[in-house]
Amino acid sequence: MADFAFNVLTHSPERLNVISTKLGPDAATKYSDADKRKAVKMGALANHVLCAADDELEGFIDSVDAATAGGFSFGGVARGNRGFRVEAQVGAGQGATAMAVGDLVVADAQLAVGTKGLAQVKTGAPELHKYRVMTVRGTGVAGDVVVLELL
């Protein structure tokens, strides 16, 4: 019998806390459904942009609409409430130390816009937006999937 492992649950809309927002750093960078589930942070133009390595995880792209706002891509970003869980992938920046249950994470470099995949994360010391590893599917090295929970 397989051991129990925490998993992502079906969340109520209140727990997901999806907000409408412009997506991308500028009007020329178009997001698509391939960008769903990637980690984002708030930008300076009432927008959300993909996280860079070492950024704190402020949200995850939930939807991308066909409509635009001021030329920007437009969609929803899940900025979960306490207990919100999400799948992510251990990024290449994790290094030689394996990610483990209980580790806190920050963003690693995200996959390019238009490339389908999960949010890329690595261990770190976030100050405001704290996500903890609940489950590691594999050994905690680059490419493995983890389940994160917002503290």
Side-chain angles (χ1 to χ4, degrees):
M1 179 182 207
D3 285 342
F4 172 81
F6 291 108
N7 208 338
V8 176
L9 302 174
T10 302
H11 294 292
S12 66
E14 296 80 20
R15 179 146 333 244
L16 285 175
N17 190 27
V18 176
I19 62 169
S20 296
T21 183
K22 295 186 289 188
L23 297 170
D26 51 50
T29 305
K30 298 300 182 196
Y31 285 35
S32 68
D33 282 345
D35 298 305
K36 288 181 186 177
R37 304 174 74 182
K38 291 182 183 172
V40 292
K41 64 181 180 180
M42 198 165 17
L45 304 171
N47 60 331
H48 280 81
V49 298
L50 292 181
C51 286
D54 300 313
D55 286 341
E56 292 193 20
L57 308 171
E58 293 188 36
F60 300 87
I61 297 175
D62 180 74
S63 61
V64 180
D65 297 340
T68 60
F72 282 75
S73 296
F74 190 78
V77 168
R79 296 172 50 101
N81 295 320
R82 184 175 169 85
F84 169 71
R85 293 183 191 158
V86 63
E87 286 183 319
Q89 187 171 37
V90 179
Q94 177 62 29
T97 304
M99 188 176 288
V101 171
D103 285 348
L104 295 178
V105 299
V106 295
D108 199 359
Q110 300 302 296
L111 300 174
V113 171
T115 304
K116 189 173 183 171
L118 296 172
Q120 303 293 297
V121 297
K122 62 183 181 178
T123 55
E127 294 182 17
L128 297 176
H129 306 283
K130 296 182 180 186
Y131 281 86
R132 172 180 60 193
V133 177
M134 291 188 68
T135 299
V136 177
R137 296 184 188 141
T139 58
V141 298
D144 286 350
V145 173
V146 293
V147 174
L148 307 176
E149 180 178 40
L150 179 61
L151 298 178

